Amino acid sequence: MRVFASISPWLPLLKDHLSSLVVLEEKAAELYHLSLLEKPAASHRSKEAVLGVAQGGRAFQSLHDHLARQGFQRRSLSQVDAVLATTGYFREDLGSIRFICPLLRPNQKPASRGLAAMPNKRAAFLVENPHFVDVPYLGKNYEVFVPQVGRFILDKGLELKTGRFLNPDKVYESSQNLLIILDLLVAHEDLQEEALNDFLEIRPPALVRDFLRLLKKNGPGSVLWDSAQRLYLERYPGSKIVTLTKWYWDFLPHATRFLEKQENTPP
């Protein structure tokens, strides 16, 4: 059976480098649907592919050279909330591809030679111990790495910006992160339990507490929730608001009790 995800057209092109890459952002969310949930994902808006690598620069010179030979141009890529544009690669038919790598020191800049990878403070957290999923495309199978689902969801939750003076771009970006959390957890109890089990392995545990705190601050009635809820209902027209709010009020105490129970269980 031919299974298509928006990352699929990239796979033949990246096949010799897939073992070194971790798929992130919306394309990772699609792969959770297609592989772990075994169901099609709703269409996603981004044509951009975002991939995590262990490091940029000359360590991945071969990948940079490969992209150049395939017709990709290194260029600045705009983002919704970017004060400074990020650097990535672009080809007209496939769109843009962006790489992030662990931030090793404050104010670290992207390497000027080799692979253009943007240092990111949570890249190491996301690419640590990833899981692979099998993606069939045009008669071939590709092993593609994605983050542990708990780490992926936690990363989205820690990006929920709060405060009275958020500009519309920040609200939209944060609502997209909340939308991904709702998209993966609301109707998928097994995935929710897998995420909670992943949370137990995350260090420091304060990251998980911060996630629950931010989710609590951005629940029903908040600006971010209302925005994400609207996007969710547009994506799944048959859904009801009560389904989202019920999930929220069930999930927070369940997650808190689950984590407290595990913390208090002797090893």
Side-chain angles (χ1 to χ4, degrees):
M1 181 178 69
R2 180 177 182 269
V3 177
F4 180 82
S6 65
I7 190 67
S8 295
W10 294 89
L11 300 182
L13 186 146
L14 295 171
K15 64 179 181 178
D16 293 335
H17 300 272
L18 287 174
S19 62
S20 302
L21 305 174
V22 179
V23 179
L24 303 174
E25 301 302 333
E26 286 190 345
K27 289 179 172 38
E30 285 187 295
L31 292 178
Y32 293 128
H33 277 272
L34 289 168
S35 59
L36 301 181
L37 297 173
E38 297 182 344
K39 58 191 290 189
S43 60
H44 289 261
R45 65 182 176 87
S46 177
K47 200 176 179 182
E48 178 185 62
V50 182
L51 304 175
V53 293
Q55 56 185 307
R58 293 184 178 181
F60 279 79
Q61 181 74 48
S62 63
L63 178 53
H64 169 85
D65 293 342
H66 173 70
L67 291 170
R69 288 194 298 270
Q70 297 298 319
F72 284 86
Q73 296 180 336
R74 179 171 171 160
R75 63 164 61 175
S76 293
L77 306 173
S78 298
Q79 290 181 290
V80 171
D81 69 332
V83 176
L84 296 174
T86 58
T87 302
Y89 300 84
F90 180 81
R91 200 173 85 177
E92 186 66 35
D93 58 333
L94 285 175
S96 57
I97 186 168
R98 180 163 55 91
F99 298 90
I100 67 171
C101 63
L103 180 71
L104 301 179
R105 57 187 181 277
N107 301 317
Q108 180 180 340
K109 299 292 190 297
S112 59
R113 303 187 67 177
L115 184 70
M118 301 296 295
N120 182 285
K121 63 182 179 181
R122 280 203 293 277
F125 166 82
L126 284 168
V127 303
E128 183 180 359
N129 193 25
H131 295 168
F132 80 83
V133 297
D134 186 66
V135 183
Y137 180 62
L138 297 181
K140 294 186 178 181
N141 286 57
Y142 299 87
E143 288 189 356
V144 181
F145 284 96
V146 292
Q148 293 180 11
V149 67
R151 291 172 181 265
F152 182 76
I153 288 170
L154 183 66
D155 180 64
K156 299 293 103 183
L158 293 175
E159 286 296 296
L160 299 180
K161 308 298 184 184
T162 59
R164 296 171 54 194
F165 304 108
L166 290 180
N167 63 51
D169 287 343
K170 283 287 188 183
V171 171
Y172 181 75
E173 181 188 5
S174 291
S175 67
Q176 288 291 329
N177 289 323
L178 182 53
L179 172 63
I180 287 176
I181 295 172
L182 298 177
D183 191 27
L184 292 176
L185 298 189
V186 167
H188 310 120
E189 186 173 342
D190 289 347
L191 199 61
Q192 176 176 288
E193 295 309 308
E194 183 173 343
L196 289 176
N197 282 305
D198 287 344
F199 286 172
L200 298 176
E201 306 300 323
I202 289 171
R203 296 292 181 270
L207 290 173
V208 179
R209 291 193 291 270
D210 283 344
F211 164 74
L212 294 176
R213 177 182 58 81
L214 288 168
L215 190 59
K216 185 176 182 179
K217 290 182 67 174
N218 292 285
S222 70
V223 172
L224 294 189
W225 181 272
D226 290 346
S227 179
Q229 178 178 265
R230 183 175 64 255
L231 293 169
Y232 186 94
L233 295 176
E234 290 174 357
R235 180 171 291 181
Y236 302 106
S239 300
K240 298 180 180 179
I241 290 176
V242 66
T243 302
L244 296 176
T245 55
K246 182 180 186 305
W247 170 82
Y248 177 86
W249 294 117
D250 287 345
F251 175 74
L252 271 181
H254 172 63
T256 302
R257 288 193 303 268
F258 177 85
L259 295 170
E260 288 176 350
K261 180 180 179 181
Q262 298 303 317
E263 288 175 359
N264 295 328
T265 300

